[in-house]
C-alpha cells in the first residue's frame, strides 16, 4: 500500500520507516536562532547543510532501493555549509547561563562547554540576567555573581528569562492571562 510521509528535520536521524523508496527534499528547515530585534530565540526557515541533506537522502531506500529528489541545484548544494552550526553558537544563552548559575557555576564563561560559545554571547546573557535581577551584580568586572531568589523563581518557569520575569511581575499586578498571551505571541515567529 502506498504511503506519503511528511516530516520535519527531526526525521533526519531518528526515524526509519519500512518501504520508503522516494524522498523529496525541499532543502529547508526551521532552525532555532537568536533574533536580535526581539532578544529571544525563534525558529527561522533556512537552507540545510550538506550533512543534513545527506541524512535526509539516507531516509530513502533504508530497506530497499530508493532515490532522493532535491529541490535545489548542484551548485547551490556545493555552496551550502558542510555541517550545521552548533545551536550553542547561534542561540541566545540566557536560559542556559541562568541554569548554570543555579547549579553553582558562578562564572559561565569558565564552564567547560562541549562546543564553546562566543564569549561575547555569554557576557550578553549574564548582563541580561543582571538587568532582570536573576543574578546579583558582580562586585568588579570578571568577578563571579550568584543567582538571586528572583532568579530561582524565574528558573521554575520553562521559558526565556525575559518572559519568566514578565510573568512573575504580571502575577504581582494580577494580569497573568494578558502577559501569558503576550509571551506566547512574541516567542513565536514574527506575525507580520
Amino acid at each position: 500500500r502506498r504511503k506519503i510521509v511528511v516530516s520535519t528535520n527531526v526525521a533526519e536521524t531518528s526515524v526509519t520507516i519500512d518501504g520508503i523508496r522516494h524522498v523529496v527534499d525541499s532543502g529547508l528547515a526551521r532552525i532555532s536562532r537568536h533574533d536580535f530585534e526581539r532578544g529571544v530565540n525563534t525558529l527561522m526557515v533556512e537552507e540545510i547543510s550538506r550533512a543534513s541533506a545527506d541524512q535526509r537522502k539516507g531516509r530513502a531506500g533504508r530497506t530497499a532501493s530508493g532515490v532522493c529528489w532535491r529541490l535545489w541545484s548542484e551548485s547551490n548544494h556545493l555552496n551550502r555549509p558542510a555541517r550545521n552550526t552548533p545551536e550553542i553558537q547561534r542561540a541566545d544563552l540566557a536560559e542556559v547561563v541562568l541554569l548554570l548559575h543555579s547549579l553553582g557555576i558562578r562564572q559561565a564563561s569558565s564552564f567547560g562547554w562541549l562546543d564553546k560559545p562566543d564569549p561575547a554571547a555569554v557576557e550578553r546573557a549574564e548582563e541580561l540576567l543582571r538587568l532582570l535581577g536573576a543574578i546579583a551584580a558582580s562586585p568588579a568586572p570578571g568577578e563571579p555573581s550568584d543567582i538571586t531568589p528572583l532568579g530561582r523563581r524565574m528558573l521554575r518557569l520553562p521559558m526565556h528569562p525575559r518572559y519568566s520575569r514578565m510573568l512573575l511581575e504580571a502575577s504581582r499586578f494580577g494580569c497573568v492571562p494578558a502577559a501569558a498571551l503576550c509571551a506566547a505571541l512574541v516567542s513565536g515567529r514574527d506575525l507580520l
Side-chain angles (χ1 to χ4, degrees), residues 30-135:
R30 288 196 183 277
I31 307 289
S32 178
R33 279 206 188 278
H34 183 65
D35 181 347
F36 285 98
E37 288 182 20
R38 294 184 298 158
V40 294
N41 293 334
T42 190
L43 292 174
M44 298 184 176
V45 176
E46 298 180 3
E47 291 183 343
I48 61 172
S49 68
R50 293 192 311 265
S52 287
D54 289 344
Q55 284 291 330
R56 290 180 180 190
K57 180 181 176 181
R59 300 297 98 191
R62 307 269 311 163
T63 58
S65 62
V67 72
C68 176
W69 285 280
R70 291 180 173 156
L71 303 181
W72 65 94
S73 68
E74 183 67 24
S75 65
N76 180 290
H77 183 74
L78 296 173
N79 287 323
R80 291 176 182 230
R83 294 194 168 25
N84 297 332
T85 305
E87 186 171 359
I88 197 82
Q89 295 173 359
R90 58 182 154 79
D92 177 59
L93 301 176
E95 289 176 81
V96 174
V97 170
L98 182 57
L99 179 62
L100 289 175
H101 279 275
S102 75
L103 297 172
I105 298 163
R106 296 176 61 195
Q107 205 160 16
S109 58
S110 65
F111 181 70
W113 303 91
L114 192 58
D115 290 308
K116 210 156 186 55
D118 178 6
V122 175
E123 183 51 43
R124 277 194 307 272
E126 289 191 324
E127 182 58 30
L128 173 63
L129 293 172
R130 280 187 208 98
L131 288 171
L132 293 174
I135 60 175

